[in-house]
Amino acid sequence: MTQYKAPRGTHDIYGQMALALEELDKISRAVFRKRNFKEIKTPMFEDVALFTRSIGEATDIVEKEMYVFEDRKGRKLALRPEGTASLVRAYIEHRLDIEEPMGKFFYCGDMFRYERPQAGRYREFLQMGAEYLGNSNPNADVEIILLAKEILSTLNINDVVIHINSLGCQNCRPMFRQKLVNYFSSIQDLCEDCKRRLEKNPLRLLDCKIDSQKFQNIPTMQVCLCEDCKNHFKRVQSLLKTVDCDYFVDDKLVRGLDYYTRTVFEVRSKVIGSQDAICAGGRYDNLVKELGGQQIPSVGFALGSERVLMAAQNAGFFNKLPKNDIIFIALADSELFDEAFKFANNLILNKNNIKQKLNLQDNIVVEGPFLNKSLKLQFKLADKIEASKTILFGKTEFDNGKIIIKDMKTHQQQEVSI
Ligand code: HAM
């Protein structure tokens, strides 16, 4: 028989990881909601042109990482590689500028990129992101950075560095671009990717992993910023200082998506290996207009859930995952199965406040009863799943209207009337 395996670059999430993911989801939602961000769910696939237009034709994502397919009517679609483009599409399509005047949204979901898989890099991965549309003020950039930071610190992830940079605007970026083209043109033996990108997307050469050794004294965007962009970036930094948020100005931070203007940032963790960006984002003041809407300056970020959980695991977060008490319903006599089955159901539904009457917590988990398993096996199973208590149905006790509650740690047991 064929042995089926998850497709390359995908992964199954189960056990502790699934629990941790649920916690991350809860924590992030609470942080988003506290700051009045509203959830939006967009389709997992969109018109391929939406991504080409927004992310940029000369980016890795569009050039080689998108899952593109045609549907039965010949429409060219792509699995979403990220969430910002879809959100902006939805914002324009549904006039959310009117319906949601604060322009604050968050989303969670699977993203797809055909990348070379390695630890922390998948072809299907999860992102949680927030987008703040319609606020051009530097405080919006800082609010987004703080939002990301708050989620991470709630997960005990504090050993991170926040890299920030400014990519300027359409007034000052062309000068930087030209300086880069001049600089890189003078360098011998650029790798094939760099050669190809030199004309189309010279900013991307800044984070080339192959050629980076050859680059010295590279022109920086800082010296090219126009007055407005300079002031914006200064204000972002002074606000970050005001709220005691450490950061590092990283001239080489350019990001892999073309829609950014002004502030970009990346939060890197030292403990998760080479794929160290656990979340990233920035300002995109022209994207709404480029996709057919009005001029709506915006800023946002997304975290990679898998990478964040790798960092959280390292920070001991998995040891603190909430654990509910498991109550195992055991049968000493199979004749009592129906009674025990009904009891288990009543316990789950907390009929007649049965949990309180039996001194059980409100959030208990109920397991069992099982037929055709010896009592020994049932207790073994209860131990294996780390049940805190076993409720035993025995013929003699039951005939006297009683059950036995056994504490699995202390092994103490007591008879209780039901
Ligand atoms: P991004 O940097 O492409 O930005 O992705 C954000 C985060 O998603 C990364 O920092 C990383 O943690 C995670 N990530 C990316 N690719 C993978 C992968 N192949 N496997 C696992 N995790 C991955 C964006 O997607 C932008 N939409 C962020 C944004 C929102 N900018 C403004 N608003």
Side-chain angles (χ1 to χ4, degrees), residues 229-240:
C229 288
K230 213 180 272 171
N231 289 336
H232 187 100
F233 197 39
K234 262 195 202 153
R235 182 77 183 127
V236 166
Q237 293 182 61
S238 76
L239 270 175
L240 284 172

Side-chain angles (χ1 to χ4, degrees), residues 82 84 113 115 120 122 127 131 255 259-260 277-278 300-301 304:
E82 60 111 42
T84 312
R113 295 183 195 175
E115 292 193 80
Y122 307 100
Q127 272 190 353
E131 312 289 350
R255 312 275 299 117
Y259 49 63
Y260 291 112
I278 55 177
F301 89 102

Side-chain angles (χ1 to χ4, degrees), residues 128 281 313:
M128 306 202 68
Q313 188 166 25

Side-chain angles (χ1 to χ4, degrees), residues 25 29 39-42 44 80-83 106-112 124-129 303-306:
D25 199 75
R29 280 166 190 278
E39 184 165 16
I40 179 160
K41 285 187 187 294
T42 59
M44 278 205 212
R80 64 179 176 198
E82 60 111 42
F106 76 89
Y107 52 86
C108 338
D110 299 61
M111 308 292 158
F112 304 85
E124 180 181 7
F125 58 97
L126 287 153
Q127 272 190 353
M128 306 202 68
L303 60 81
S305 303
E306 288 88 351

Side-chain angles (χ1 to χ4, degrees), residues 109-363:
D110 299 61
M111 308 292 158
F112 304 85
R113 295 183 195 175
Y114 193 83
E115 292 193 80
R116 198 170 50 77
Q118 65 181 79
R121 188 160 73 192
Y122 307 100
R123 290 182 175 170
E124 180 181 7
F125 58 97
L126 287 153
Q127 272 190 353
M128 306 202 68
E131 312 289 350
Y132 190 173
L133 284 80
N135 190 339
S136 61
N137 201 291
N139 65 263
D141 312 26
V142 174
E143 185 161 350
I144 286 291
I145 295 174
L146 292 179
L147 223 165
K149 194 174 173 229
E150 187 183 345
I151 295 175
L152 298 178
S153 58
T154 313
L155 295 157
N156 288 346
I157 306 173
N158 297 308
D159 196 9
V160 290
V161 180
I162 301 174
H163 292 239
I164 62 170
N165 195 14
S166 174
L167 297 181
C169 63
Q170 67 259 46
N171 298 330
C172 52
R173 182 132 20 118
M175 199 220 303
F176 179 51
R177 199 177 183 280
Q178 194 49 52
K179 280 196 175 195
L180 286 179
V181 173
N182 296 347
Y183 170 82
F184 289 125
S185 306
S186 67
I187 298 204
Q188 306 290 313
D189 304 327
L190 287 175
C191 75
E192 284 310 309
D193 265 352
C194 283
K195 275 188 203 153
R196 202 166 37 83
R197 291 214 171 110
L198 188 54
E199 278 306 319
K200 273 191 180 169
N201 199 353
L203 264 70
R204 296 296 301 154
L205 273 70
L206 287 175
D207 62 2
C208 172
K209 301 273 181 299
I210 305 169
D211 284 341
S212 58
Q213 308 292 342
K214 295 178 201 155
F215 304 155
Q216 246 117 58
N217 303 322
I218 310 178
T220 65
M221 185 67 218
Q222 310 298 316
V223 293
C224 304
L225 292 178
C226 63
E227 270 317 291
D228 283 350
C229 288
K230 213 180 272 171
N231 289 336
H232 187 100
F233 197 39
K234 262 195 202 153
R235 182 77 183 127
V236 166
Q237 293 182 61
S238 76
L239 270 175
L240 284 172
K241 282 188 191 128
T242 304
V243 292
D244 297 324
C245 179
D246 293 335
Y247 61 88
F248 165 66
V249 177
D250 181 351
D251 296 330
K252 288 201 180 142
L253 182 64
V254 287
R255 312 275 299 117
L257 306 102
D258 279 357
Y259 49 63
Y260 291 112
T261 50
R262 295 192 167 167
T263 317
V264 287
F265 73 96
E266 224 166 77
V267 182
R268 298 192 189 150
S269 156
K270 294 178 203 140
V271 297
I272 63 163
S274 63
Q275 298 305 309
D276 59 355
I278 55 177
C279 66
R283 183 162 272 291
Y284 49 96
D285 287 343
N286 305 321
L287 184 60
V288 182
K289 186 150 194 213
E290 268 163 30
L291 293 181
Q294 294 163 349
Q295 181 67 35
I296 307 273
S298 309
V299 56
F301 89 102
L303 60 81
S305 303
E306 288 88 351
R307 288 189 199 173
V308 165
L309 288 182
M310 282 161 80
Q313 188 166 25
N314 199 282
F317 176 72
F318 281 35
N319 306 329
K320 294 184 187 150
L321 288 175
K323 221 171 159 192
N324 295 355
D325 274 352
I326 301 179
I327 310 297
F328 191 94
I329 314 291
L331 270 185
D333 194 321
S334 55
E335 258 178 51
L336 295 176
F337 181 85
D338 287 10
E339 298 295 347
F341 190 77
K342 183 173 168 190
F343 175 85
N345 193 44
N346 287 346
L347 197 54
I348 290 165
L349 302 177
N350 199 22
K351 279 205 179 151
N352 305 320
N353 283 331
I354 184 167
K355 287 181 192 172
Q356 287 70 27
K357 284 177 190 158
L358 296 178
N359 269 335
L360 300 173
Q361 305 228 333
D362 217 28
N363 57 355

